[in-house]
Amino acid sequence: MNRTKIVVAYSGGLDTSVMVKWLSEKYNAEIITATGDLGQKKELTGLKEKAKATGASKVYIQDLTHDFVADFIFPALKASALYENVYPMATSLGRPLLAKMLVEIARSEGAAMVAHGCTGKGNDQVRFEVSVAALAPHVKVLAPLRDWEFKSREQEIEYARLHHIPVAATVASPYSIDENLWGTSIECGVLEDPMMEPPPDAFHRTVAPEDAPDEPRNVEIEFDHGVPIALDGTWVAGVKLIDRLNEIGGMHGIGRIDLVENRLVGIKSREIYEAPAATILHFAHTELERLTLEKSVFHMKTQIAREYANLIYNGLWYSPLRTALDAFIDETQKTVTGTVRLRLYKGNMTIVGRKSQFSLYNPGLATYTEDDTFDHKASEGFISIYGLPVKTYHEVAQKNISEGRKPIASGILTKEILQ
Ligand code: ARG
C-alpha cells in the first residue's frame, strides 16, 4: 500500500529539518519538501541534498520570484498597502504564494496533507492555513510546532543528532529572520525589549545612515499604470528593478523600520524591517498619485489602502474582498503613469521632481503670476455657501447665550468668540 504523503514547506533550518523526520515517524508518511525562492539571498544550493539527507523522498525548489512580484508585490504596491501605515509586508505577502505552491505540489503528488513550520503565536500560521483552506479545502494542514514535544532549540538539536539529521554547524543567529525580495523581517533576542536600540548586527541589507555616502544619489522611477517599469531611464523587469533598488537604497541607509505592531492573534510585537526597495517604491508611487489622481479618488484610496493592508496582514489574500478592492485600485491606476525623481541621502528620501501625461496639476490655476487663470471672484460665492451651515449654527448659539440661556454643544467656543 502507498504511504501517506505530506508536503512540507521547507527552509532547511532547524525547525523544518526536524519536522521532516518527526512527521515521517508520526504519520508513517512519505515526506516531500517544497521550497519557494522568493528572492531571499540565502543560498538555495545544497538544499536539495540536505532535504534528501534529512529523509525527504522528493524535493521541490521552485523559483517564484516572478509570480511574487507580478501577482503579490505589485498589487500591494498599487494599493499602497502598508500595515499600520509603515510595514510593507514582505513576510505577509510571501505566505499566500508559498501556500499556493504547497497546494499545487500536493495536488500533483496526490498528497492529502501539507505542513508548515510556523509557531502557534504568529500571523504566519493563519496566513498559511487560511490560504490552503481557500485554495484546497480538502487538504489538511499540519503545524507540528504547535504540538510537538520539543520545548527548546536544544531539544530539537538533540533529536536531530539522534536521528542523524544534518543541521548547520554555524552559530545560530540571535534573531529570527525572514527574508525575501520585498524585505527582511527581524525579531527576537535583544529586540524583544522595545526600548533597546537594534544592535548593528540586526541589519543585513542596509547600512546605518551615518555610514552612507556623503554624496546624495538621485533615482528616477517610471511607472505605468501604477507599476514601476524603468529606473534612471532604462526599462527593467520587476524582479531586477526591485533588486537594484534594494542595492541602491541599502547603500544609502533607506528602509530601516522599527515597529511595535499589532498581530492578528492579539499580541503586540516589536519587529525590525529592512525594506529599501519597498520603501522607495511606495514613496515614489504615492507621490505620482498625488499628481495624477483626482482629489476624492486620492482620498478614498487612502482608506482602501488601510483595508487592503489589513487583509494582507491578516491572511485574507484569497478573499473576495481582495478581488473587489483590486477592481477599484486597478481603475484608479489607469492614470498612474509617469516619472518620479527622488534623492536618497543618509537614510532619507525626498522627492525632487515628478511628471506625467495625466498630471492634474494645472499651472494656470496654481500660479500666482499674471498667467493666473483661476476665477478669484468665484471664491466669494463659494465661501458664503460652503460656510453657511457653520455660520447658521453659531448665529443660533450666540442668540441663546445673549438671551441668557446655556450655550449648546460648542458653547465654549461661542463664548470665546463673544468676548
Ligand atoms: N511580523 C511580521 C509579519 O507578521 C513578520 C513575521 C516573521 N518575522 C520573523 N522575524 N520571522 O508579517
Side-chain angles (χ1 to χ4, degrees):
M1 203 191 88
N2 281 343
R3 282 160 83 206
T4 315
K5 288 181 180 174
I6 305 176
V7 183
V8 174
Y10 178 75
S11 72
L14 179 63
D15 287 338
T16 56
S17 294
V18 168
M19 252 171 68
V20 169
K21 185 74 195 168
W22 189 87
L23 285 169
S24 77
E25 292 205 325
K26 177 160 167 135
Y27 291 90
N28 184 26
E30 183 184 331
I31 305 296
I32 297 158
T33 63
T35 307
D37 181 358
L38 297 182
Q40 59 271 40
K41 291 285 175 243
K42 212 177 107 193
E43 211 43 84
L44 291 170
T45 44
L47 204 64
K48 182 168 183 179
E49 292 67 32
K50 195 172 175 185
K52 287 260 175 172
T54 306
S57 67
K58 203 161 174 187
V59 176
Y60 284 85
I61 298 175
Q62 294 186 346
D63 180 357
L64 304 176
T65 46
H66 173 79
D67 292 359
F68 189 35
V69 171
D71 302 338
F72 294 82
I73 290 178
F74 283 168
L77 176 65
K78 289 191 279 185
S80 307
L82 293 167
Y83 185 61
E84 297 189 336
N85 291 325
V86 276
Y87 166 40
M89 297 187 289
T91 298
S92 335
L93 284 163
R95 300 313 181 196
L97 176 53
L98 293 175
K100 181 164 164 264
M101 172 190 72
L102 290 181
V103 163
E104 281 166 3
I105 295 173
R107 279 219 177 94
S108 70
E109 290 286 345
M113 291 188 274
V114 298
H116 63 70
C118 308
T119 71
K121 58 194 283 190
N123 299 309
D124 287 330
Q125 51 174 345
V126 183
R127 297 170 185 149
F128 267 118
E129 290 173 42
V130 174
S131 296
V132 172
L135 298 172
H138 303 298
V139 168
K140 187 172 159 64
V141 189
L142 304 171
L145 268 73
R146 284 201 299 246
D147 40 45
W148 67 20
E149 63 275 23
F150 311 117
K151 296 272 171 286
S152 68
R153 208 180 150 77
E154 286 65 38
Q155 289 180 9
E156 284 182 53
I157 292 173
E158 180 56 15
Y159 178 90
R161 202 183 57 77
L162 284 174
H163 292 86
H164 312 290
I165 299 167
V167 289
T170 50
V171 189
S173 160
Y175 310 107
S176 156
I177 299 170
D178 182 60
E179 182 196 70
N180 65 43
L181 189 64
W182 203 225
T184 306
S185 308
I186 310 142
E187 62 181 349
C188 300
V190 294
L191 302 174
E192 285 178 2
D193 174 0
M195 189 58 180
M196 171 80 182
E197 182 177 347
D201 75 349
F203 298 101
H204 305 89
R205 59 205 291 181
T206 55
V207 305
E210 59 269 29
D211 296 332
D214 293 332
E215 283 302 305
R217 165 75 145 94
N218 280 5
V219 281
E220 233 177 65
I221 303 164
E222 191 181 331
F223 289 86
D224 180 34
H225 289 63
V227 168
I229 53 158
L231 206 57
D232 293 331
T234 311
W235 186 88
V236 213
V239 177
K240 239 340 291 254
L241 185 141
I242 295 171
D243 248 338
R244 189 81 194 98
L245 279 177
N246 274 329
E247 245 170 68
I248 300 172
M251 213 157 72
H252 287 271
I254 308 287
R256 289 187 171 189
I257 299 162
D258 182 335
L259 178 67
V260 172
E261 71 193 38
N262 291 291
R263 284 191 194 161
L264 178 58
V265 294
I267 301 168
K268 273 196 198 290
S269 70
R270 193 270 192 106
E271 189 117 28
I272 303 299
Y273 298 106
E274 291 182 282
T279 304
I280 293 170
L281 287 171
H282 269 289
F283 181 66
H285 175 262
T286 298
E287 290 301 326
L288 187 57
E289 288 189 326
R290 292 184 198 281
L291 189 70
T292 66
L293 292 189
E294 184 269 336
K295 175 179 170 177
S296 59
V297 172
F298 183 73
H299 288 178
M300 175 56 78
K301 200 170 164 283
T302 61
Q303 295 179 43
I304 299 291
R306 197 180 48 231
E307 294 301 326
Y308 203 96
N310 287 346
L311 79 82
I312 294 173
Y313 189 86
N314 294 332
L316 300 175
W317 182 262
Y318 299 109
S319 66
L321 176 60
R322 205 232 338 139
T323 349
L325 295 183
D326 272 340
F328 171 85
I329 291 156
D330 283 338
E331 180 63 29
T332 67
Q333 299 302 291
K334 285 180 177 165
T335 61
V336 186
T337 294
T339 302
V340 176
R341 188 184 300 138
L342 304 178
R343 179 162 302 151
L344 316 182
Y345 180 63
K346 291 193 180 286
N348 266 306
M349 226 172 8
T350 43
I351 173 145
V352 289
R354 64 291 253 172
K355 66 175 181 192
S356 165
Q357 71 199 94
F358 301 111
S359 170
L360 299 177
Y361 179 87
N362 182 327
L365 292 176
T367 186
Y368 284 93
T369 68
E370 60 187 4
D371 298 330
D372 191 358
T373 58
F374 185 77
D375 181 358
H376 290 235
K377 290 224 170 52
S379 287
E380 196 181 327
F382 165 72
I383 295 165
S384 78
I385 291 173
Y386 171 74
L388 194 56
V390 178
K391 186 178 168 207
T392 307
Y393 173 87
H394 285 283
E395 277 169 0
V396 173
Q398 287 176 21
K399 184 165 181 284
N400 275 290
I401 291 168
S402 61
E403 289 172 4
R405 280 185 290 274
K406 274 227 157 88
I408 48 174
S410 69
I412 295 171
L413 178 67
T414 309
K415 242 189 197 157
E416 278 166 1
I417 293 166
L418 279 177
Q419 278 161 8

